[in-house]
Amino acid sequence: MSLLNIHDRLAVSAVLFAGVCAAWGFINYIRKQDMTSGYWGALAICESLIKAQGVLGIVLAIQGNAPPRAIVHYLYGISAVISLPAVYIFTGGRDTRRESLLYAVVSLWLFGLAIRGITTGSEQEAAALLRSIIALI
């Protein structure tokens, strides 16, 4: 399996995981629950997926495998990497119901950002991703 293929699969995983984190946060908020350790763990896994995706993307760029619209693709990646830590800094690490809503909104942002990153990276991958998401729904 090539690095490019792993990068593509991690992108799909990041989209799906961010969607799960968004849904989980919104459910916590609607149920008037504070953040749980499980949700913190899910957010940490989501951030780890995004960072692994970024490291592979950097390696691919160094090898000369730049996406068609490279600058926008890189901006999406940088935004994705800093989003969750920015919310953590903004909230001071609190874990109340309000923070659950903020993390849900940012996870939804990451969901969309990852989809946009995929569409700027590969047209074929974007079509396959949309089919996968529709099949899950």
Side-chain angles (χ1 to χ4, degrees), residues 96-124:
T96 65
R97 178 177 179 242
R98 175 183 170 264
E99 282 72 30
S100 189
L101 178 63
L102 289 174
Y103 282 108
V105 169
V106 169
S107 294
L108 189 60
W109 158 256
L110 291 173
F111 178 81
L113 204 57
I115 289 173
R116 285 298 301 147
I118 289 170
T119 60
T120 61
S122 168
E123 299 294 330
Q124 296 165 340

Side-chain angles (χ1 to χ4, degrees), residues 54-75:
V55 168
L56 282 178
I58 291 168
V59 170
L60 286 168
I62 290 170
Q63 291 178 346
N65 294 323
R69 295 169 281 213
I71 193 69
V72 177
H73 191 77
Y74 300 150
L75 288 174

